[in-house]
Amino acid sequence: SQQGEEDPQALSIQEGENATMNCSYKTSINNLQWYRQNSGRGLVHLILIRSNEREKHSGRLRVTLDTSKKSSSLLITASRAADTASYFCATPNDYKLSFGAGTTVTVRA
Amino acid sequence: NAGVTQTPKFRVLKTGQSMTLLCAQDMNHEYMYWYRQDPGMGLRLIHYSVGEGTTAKGEVPDGYNVSRLKKQNFLLGLESAAPSQTSVYFCASRPALAGELFFGEGSRLTVL
C-alpha cells in the first residue's frame, strides 16, 4: 500500500506563478523525499527533508514538513515551462522507499 | 559515469513468454530496487536487494523473480508473462547510508 498521497492529482498554472502540492503520509518517518519525473523519463531526486527539519530550500523549491500532521508540501516558485512534470513524495520504510501516485503539473506559456 | 542503465528499453511479449530485464549501476551502490509504474498508481515496489546475493519481496512480487549475482547488476525475470504485467519498469539504486534513489530511464513492457 502507498505510504504517501499527493494532492492535488493535477495542477495547471501560468508561467511565472507558484505551484504548491501536498503530501500526506501514514506512519512515522525519519525523512521525506520529493522526486520529479518528466514525461517518459525516470524519476529524479529533488530534495530530502529530515524529520527534525521544518523547512528546506533548494533553488526555487521550498519544502515543508509537519510531522504532527504527517504532511509535507512542495512549493515551486516562479514556475517555468521546464517545470512541467509529475512530482512524487516518497517515504522510507526500513530499506524500502514508498511513493505516492504523484501530482502532474502543467506550466502554460 | 552512466548511472543506472536498464535494458531493454522496450519489449513486446506474448502471453506465456518469458523475459529478463537487466539493471546495471556503476556507482557501487549496495541497494537496488525494481518498481513498476502504472497510470494513476504511482510506483509500486516489486523486489529489492540490500547486497550481492540477497533479495527480498516488495509490495507486488507475484509473477516476478530477481537475482543479484553481482553487486552492480539486478535482474528482473518474468517466467510466464501475463497482460497484467504490461507496465513501465524502473530500476533504482542507492548507497546503504544515503536515502536518495537514483533511477534508470525505464523499460516499457507490453504483454499481448
Side-chain angles (χ1 to χ4, degrees), chain A residues 1-2 31 33 35 37 40-45 48 88 94-102, chain B residues 31 33 35 37 40-45 48 50 57-59 90 94 99-101 103-105:
Chain A
S1 61
Q2 292 172 339
N31 70 73
Q33 302 174 38
Y35 289 77
Q37 183 182 33
R41 306 296 297 274
L43 279 73
V44 174
H45 182 263
L48 181 153
F88 297 87
D94 200 8
Y95 299 109
K96 306 180 288 288
L97 200 62
S98 298
F99 290 82
Chain B
Y31 298 169
Y33 304 82
Y35 289 90
Q37 184 176 34
M41 300 191 72
L43 277 79
R44 293 182 291 169
L45 182 63
Y48 64 101
V50 298
K57 294 179 180 180
E59 184 185 354
F90 286 97
R94 71 172 176 93
E100 173 187 349
L101 283 183
F103 280 83
E105 290 297 312

Coordinates of all heavy atoms in Angstrom, one line a residue, chain A residues 1-2 31 33 35 37 40-45 48 88 94-102, chain B residues 31 33 35 37 40-45 48 50 57-59 90 94 99-101 103-105:
Chain A
S1 N 0.9 -1.2 0.0 CA 0.0 0.0 0.0 C 0.9 1.2 0.0 O 2.0 1.2 0.5 CB -0.9 0.0 1.2 OG -0.2 0.0 2.4
Q2 N 0.4 2.3 -0.6 CA 1.2 3.5 -0.7 C 1.2 4.2 0.7 O 0.2 4.4 1.3 CB 0.6 4.4 -1.8 CG 0.8 3.8 -3.2 CD 0.1 4.6 -4.2 OE1 -0.9 5.3 -3.9 NE2 0.5 4.4 -5.5
N31 N 12.6 10.7 7.4 CA 12.8 11.7 6.3 C 11.7 11.6 5.3 O 11.0 10.6 5.3 CB 14.2 11.6 5.7 CG 14.4 10.4 4.8 OD1 13.8 10.3 3.7 ND2 15.1 9.4 5.3
Q33 N 11.1 12.5 1.0 CA 11.8 13.0 -0.2 C 10.8 13.4 -1.3 O 9.7 12.8 -1.3 CB 12.7 11.8 -0.7 CG 13.7 11.3 0.3 CD 14.4 10.1 -0.2 OE1 14.8 10.0 -1.3 NE2 14.7 9.2 0.8
Y35 N 10.5 13.8 -5.6 CA 11.1 13.4 -6.9 C 10.3 14.1 -8.0 O 9.1 14.3 -7.8 CB 11.1 11.9 -7.1 CG 12.1 11.2 -6.2 CD1 11.8 10.9 -4.9 CD2 13.3 10.7 -6.7 CE1 12.7 10.3 -4.0 CE2 14.2 10.0 -5.9 CZ 13.9 9.8 -4.6 OH 14.8 9.1 -3.8
Q37 N 9.4 13.6 -12.2 CA 9.5 12.8 -13.4 C 9.0 13.5 -14.6 O 7.8 13.8 -14.7 CB 8.7 11.5 -13.2 CG 8.8 10.5 -14.3 CD 7.9 9.3 -14.1 OE1 6.8 9.3 -13.5 NE2 8.4 8.1 -14.6
G40 N 8.0 10.3 -19.8 CA 8.8 9.2 -20.5 C 10.2 9.0 -19.9 O 11.0 8.3 -20.5
R41 N 10.5 9.6 -18.8 CA 11.8 9.5 -18.2 C 11.7 8.9 -16.8 O 10.7 8.6 -16.3 CB 12.4 10.9 -18.1 CG 12.5 11.7 -19.4 CD 13.3 11.1 -20.4 NE 14.7 11.0 -20.0 CZ 15.6 11.9 -20.2 NH1 15.3 13.1 -20.7 NH2 16.9 11.7 -19.8
G42 N 12.9 8.6 -16.3 CA 13.0 8.1 -14.9 C 12.8 9.3 -13.9 O 12.8 10.4 -14.2
L43 N 12.6 8.9 -12.6 CA 12.5 9.9 -11.6 C 13.8 10.5 -11.2 O 14.9 9.8 -11.2 CB 11.8 9.2 -10.3 CG 10.3 9.1 -10.3 CD1 9.9 8.0 -11.3 CD2 9.8 8.8 -8.9
V44 N 13.8 11.7 -10.8 CA 15.0 12.4 -10.4 C 14.7 13.0 -9.0 O 13.7 13.6 -8.7 CB 15.3 13.6 -11.4 CG1 16.5 14.4 -10.8 CG2 15.7 13.0 -12.7
H45 N 15.7 12.8 -8.1 CA 15.6 13.2 -6.7 C 15.7 14.8 -6.7 O 16.6 15.4 -7.3 CB 16.7 12.6 -5.9 CG 16.6 13.0 -4.5 ND1 17.4 14.0 -4.0 CD2 15.9 12.5 -3.4 CE1 17.2 14.1 -2.7 NE2 16.3 13.2 -2.3
L48 N 15.5 16.2 0.0 CA 15.2 15.3 1.2 C 15.1 16.2 2.4 O 16.0 17.0 2.6 CB 16.3 14.3 1.4 CG 16.2 13.3 2.5 CD1 16.9 12.0 2.1 CD2 16.7 13.8 3.8
F88 N 6.5 13.5 -7.1 CA 6.1 12.4 -6.2 C 6.8 12.7 -4.8 O 8.0 13.1 -4.8 CB 6.7 11.1 -6.7 CG 6.0 10.7 -8.0 CD1 6.6 11.1 -9.2 CD2 4.9 9.8 -8.0 CE1 6.0 10.7 -10.4 CE2 4.4 9.4 -9.2 CZ 4.9 9.8 -10.4
D94 N 12.0 1.0 6.5 CA 13.1 0.0 6.5 C 14.0 0.3 5.3 O 14.5 1.4 5.2 CB 12.5 -1.4 6.5 CG 13.5 -2.4 7.1 OD1 14.5 -2.0 7.6 OD2 13.2 -3.6 6.9
Y95 N 14.3 -0.7 4.5 CA 15.2 -0.5 3.4 C 14.5 0.1 2.2 O 15.1 0.5 1.2 CB 15.8 -1.8 2.9 CG 16.7 -2.5 4.0 CD1 16.2 -3.6 4.6 CD2 17.9 -1.9 4.3 CE1 17.0 -4.2 5.6 CE2 18.7 -2.6 5.3 CZ 18.2 -3.7 5.9 OH 19.0 -4.3 6.9
K96 N 13.2 0.2 2.3 CA 12.4 0.5 1.1 C 11.9 2.0 1.1 O 12.0 2.6 2.1 CB 11.1 -0.4 1.1 CG 11.4 -1.9 1.2 CD 10.2 -2.7 1.1 CE 9.4 -2.6 2.4 NZ 10.0 -3.3 3.5
L97 N 11.6 2.4 -0.1 CA 11.0 3.8 -0.3 C 9.7 3.6 -1.0 O 9.6 3.0 -2.0 CB 12.0 4.6 -1.1 CG 11.8 6.1 -1.1 CD1 12.1 6.6 0.3 CD2 12.8 6.8 -2.0
S98 N 8.6 4.2 -0.4 CA 7.3 4.1 -0.9 C 6.9 5.4 -1.5 O 7.1 6.5 -0.9 CB 6.3 3.7 0.2 OG 6.6 2.5 0.8
F99 N 6.3 5.4 -2.7 CA 5.9 6.5 -3.4 C 4.4 6.7 -3.5 O 3.6 5.8 -3.5 CB 6.4 6.5 -4.9 CG 7.9 6.6 -5.0 CD1 8.7 5.4 -4.8 CD2 8.5 7.8 -5.3 CE1 10.1 5.5 -4.9 CE2 9.9 7.9 -5.4 CZ 10.7 6.8 -5.2
G100 N 4.0 8.0 -3.5 CA 2.6 8.3 -3.8 C 2.3 8.2 -5.2 O 3.2 7.9 -6.1
A101 N 1.0 8.5 -5.6 CA 0.6 8.5 -7.0 C 1.0 9.7 -7.8 O 1.0 9.7 -9.0 CB -0.9 8.3 -7.1
G102 N 1.5 10.8 -7.1 CA 2.0 11.9 -7.8 C 1.1 13.0 -8.1 O -0.1 12.8 -8.2
Chain B
Y31 N 22.3 -1.0 -2.4 CA 20.9 -1.3 -2.5 C 20.4 -1.1 -3.9 O 20.7 -0.1 -4.6 CB 20.0 -0.4 -1.6 CG 20.3 -0.6 -0.1 CD1 19.8 0.3 0.8 CD2 21.2 -1.6 0.4 CE1 20.1 0.2 2.2 CE2 21.5 -1.7 1.7 CZ 20.9 -0.8 2.6 OH 21.2 -0.9 4.0
Y33 N 16.7 -1.7 -6.5 CA 15.2 -1.9 -6.5 C 14.6 -2.0 -7.9 O 15.1 -1.5 -8.8 CB 14.6 -0.7 -5.8 CG 15.1 -0.3 -4.4 CD1 16.3 0.4 -4.3 CD2 14.4 -0.7 -3.3 CE1 16.8 0.7 -3.0 CE2 14.9 -0.4 -2.0 CZ 16.1 0.3 -1.9 OH 16.6 0.6 -0.7
Y35 N 10.8 -1.3 -9.5 CA 9.5 -0.8 -9.4 C 8.7 -1.0 -10.7 O 9.3 -1.0 -11.7 CB 9.5 0.7 -9.0 CG 10.0 1.1 -7.7 CD1 11.3 1.3 -7.4 CD2 9.1 1.3 -6.6 CE1 11.8 1.7 -6.2 CE2 9.5 1.7 -5.3 CZ 10.9 1.9 -5.1 OH 11.3 2.3 -3.9
Q37 N 5.4 1.0 -12.7 CA 4.6 2.2 -12.7 C 3.5 2.0 -13.7 O 3.6 1.8 -14.9 CB 5.4 3.5 -13.1 CG 4.6 4.8 -13.0 CD 5.5 6.0 -13.3 OE1 6.4 6.0 -14.2 NE2 5.2 7.1 -12.6
G40 N -1.9 6.3 -12.8 CA -2.7 6.6 -11.6 C -2.3 5.8 -10.4 O -3.0 6.0 -9.3
M41 N -1.3 5.0 -10.4 CA -0.9 4.2 -9.3 C 0.5 4.5 -8.7 O 0.9 3.8 -7.8 CB -1.1 2.7 -9.6 CG -2.5 2.4 -10.0 SD -2.7 0.6 -10.1 CE -2.7 0.2 -8.3
G42 N 1.1 5.5 -9.3 CA 2.5 5.7 -8.8 C 3.4 4.6 -9.0 O 3.2 3.8 -10.0
L43 N 4.4 4.5 -8.2 CA 5.4 3.4 -8.3 C 5.1 2.4 -7.2 O 4.9 2.7 -6.1 CB 6.8 3.9 -8.1 CG 7.5 4.5 -9.4 CD1 6.9 5.9 -9.6 CD2 9.0 4.5 -9.2
R44 N 5.1 1.1 -7.6 CA 5.0 0.0 -6.6 C 6.2 -0.9 -6.7 O 6.7 -1.3 -7.7 CB 3.7 -0.8 -7.0 CG 2.4 0.0 -6.8 CD 1.2 -0.9 -7.1 NE 1.1 -1.2 -8.5 CZ 0.3 -2.1 -9.0 NH1 -0.5 -2.8 -8.2 NH2 0.2 -2.3 -10.3
L45 N 6.7 -1.2 -5.5 CA 7.9 -1.9 -5.4 C 7.7 -3.4 -5.6 O 6.8 -4.0 -5.0 CB 8.5 -1.7 -4.0 CG 9.8 -2.4 -3.7 CD1 10.9 -1.9 -4.6 CD2 10.2 -2.2 -2.2
Y48 N 13.5 -6.1 -4.1 CA 14.7 -5.2 -3.8 C 15.8 -6.1 -3.3 O 15.6 -7.3 -2.9 CB 14.4 -4.1 -2.9 CG 14.0 -4.5 -1.5 CD1 14.9 -4.4 -0.4 CD2 12.7 -4.9 -1.2 CE1 14.5 -4.8 0.9 CE2 12.3 -5.3 0.1 CZ 13.2 -5.2 1.1 OH 12.8 -5.6 2.4
V50 N 19.5 -5.7 -0.8 CA 20.4 -4.9 0.0 C 21.8 -5.3 -0.1 O 22.7 -4.8 0.7 CB 19.9 -4.9 1.5 CG1 18.5 -4.3 1.6 CG2 20.0 -6.3 2.1
K57 N 11.2 -9.5 -1.1 CA 9.9 -9.2 -1.8 C 9.5 -7.8 -1.4 O 9.6 -7.3 -0.3 CB 8.8 -10.2 -1.5 CG 9.1 -11.6 -2.0 CD 8.0 -12.5 -1.6 CE 8.2 -13.9 -2.1 NZ 7.2 -14.9 -1.7
G58 N 8.9 -7.1 -2.4 CA 8.3 -5.8 -2.1 C 6.8 -5.9 -2.0 O 6.3 -6.9 -1.6
E59 N 6.1 -4.9 -2.6 CA 4.7 -4.8 -2.4 C 3.9 -5.7 -3.4 O 2.9 -6.3 -3.1 CB 4.3 -3.4 -2.7 CG 2.8 -3.0 -2.5 CD 2.6 -1.6 -2.9 OE1 3.6 -0.8 -3.2 OE2 1.4 -1.2 -3.0
F90 N 10.9 0.3 -13.6 CA 12.0 1.2 -13.2 C 13.0 0.5 -12.3 O 12.5 -0.1 -11.3 CB 11.6 2.5 -12.6 CG 11.0 3.5 -13.6 CD1 9.6 3.5 -13.8 CD2 11.8 4.3 -14.4 CE1 9.0 4.4 -14.7 CE2 11.2 5.2 -15.3 CZ 9.9 5.2 -15.5
R94 N 20.8 2.9 -4.5 CA 21.2 3.9 -3.6 C 22.3 3.3 -2.7 O 22.4 2.1 -2.5 CB 20.1 4.4 -2.8 CG 19.6 3.5 -1.7 CD 18.6 4.2 -0.8 NE 17.9 3.4 0.2 CZ 18.4 3.2 1.4 NH1 19.5 3.8 1.8 NH2 17.7 2.5 2.3
G99 N 19.7 8.3 1.6 CA 18.3 8.0 1.2 C 17.9 8.1 -0.2 O 17.0 7.5 -0.7
E100 N 18.7 9.0 -0.9 CA 18.3 9.3 -2.3 C 18.5 8.1 -3.2 O 19.5 7.5 -3.3 CB 19.2 10.4 -2.8 CG 19.1 10.8 -4.2 CD 20.1 11.8 -4.7 OE1 20.8 12.3 -3.8 OE2 20.2 12.0 -5.9
L101 N 17.4 7.9 -4.0 CA 17.4 6.9 -5.1 C 17.8 7.5 -6.4 O 17.4 8.6 -6.7 CB 16.0 6.2 -5.2 CG 15.5 5.2 -4.2 CD1 14.2 4.7 -4.6 CD2 16.5 4.1 -4.0
F103 N 17.5 6.6 -10.4 CA 16.6 5.8 -11.2 C 17.2 5.6 -12.6 O 17.9 6.5 -13.2 CB 15.3 6.4 -11.4 CG 14.3 6.2 -10.2 CD1 14.4 7.0 -9.1 CD2 13.4 5.1 -10.3 CE1 13.6 6.7 -8.0 CE2 12.6 4.9 -9.2 CZ 12.7 5.7 -8.0
G104 N 16.9 4.5 -13.2 CA 17.1 4.3 -14.7 C 16.0 5.0 -15.4 O 15.1 5.6 -14.9
E105 N 16.1 4.9 -16.8 CA 15.1 5.6 -17.6 C 13.9 4.8 -17.9 O 13.0 5.3 -18.6 CB 15.8 6.0 -19.0 CG 16.9 7.1 -18.8 CD 16.2 8.4 -18.4 OE1 15.2 8.8 -18.9 OE2 16.8 9.0 -17.4

